[in-house]
Amino acid sequence: MAIEVVSASMMTSDSTTHIARCVGGDRWVVSWLPGRTLSGQQAVTAMTIASTLADYTLSDTEWVVLDGLALELGLTAREAVGMVASEQHDLRRPSTWPRPRSLE
């Protein structure tokens, strides 16, 4: 699991499609936490959580570690797992959402 900062504006990982993008200063948005703005350290934590979940079947000890990481984001481990799993879009690619149809 490696988290890479790309030109100080985006964080990616080799084990998950989730990303973090800098929105100015030390403010970051993470793909699996829509609507939240995080500090740079929190963004690294969020990316670590997403990468960890992509790499492992969690043991009891790993759940404890994950719970500690999630706490930094104001979440429980189980909440973080659910959010990572439910937000599976890849922000590195153009949106695949259907565009609104024009009303002609």
Side-chain angles (χ1 to χ4, degrees):
M1 168 187 70
I3 296 172
E4 179 182 1
V5 178
V6 181
S7 69
S9 64
M10 184 169 48
M11 292 180 207
T12 63
S13 170
D14 58 355
S15 59
T16 182
T17 60
H18 289 289
I19 66 166
R21 288 190 183 196
C22 183
V23 293
D26 188 38
R27 296 175 302 152
W28 292 77
V29 293
V30 178
S31 58
W32 66 269
L33 289 168
R36 290 189 57 183
T37 304
L38 307 174
S39 69
Q41 181 56 50
Q42 289 174 315
V44 169
T45 298
M47 290 298 296
T48 301
I49 290 169
S51 295
T52 299
L53 295 175
D55 287 340
Y56 300 106
T57 301
L58 299 176
S59 68
D60 289 343
T61 303
E62 290 164 330
W63 274 106
V64 171
V65 171
L66 187 61
D67 211 30
L69 291 171
L71 185 60
E72 292 181 39
L73 305 176
L75 302 168
T76 67
R78 297 209 184 274
E79 288 172 325
V81 168
M83 295 174 85
V84 168
S86 68
E87 292 292 331
Q88 288 299 320
H89 54 276
D90 185 349
L91 295 180
R92 290 176 283 192
R93 297 183 187 162
S95 176
T96 57
W97 286 95
R99 297 178 195 250
R101 295 186 330 204
S102 64
L103 300 174
E104 295 180 30

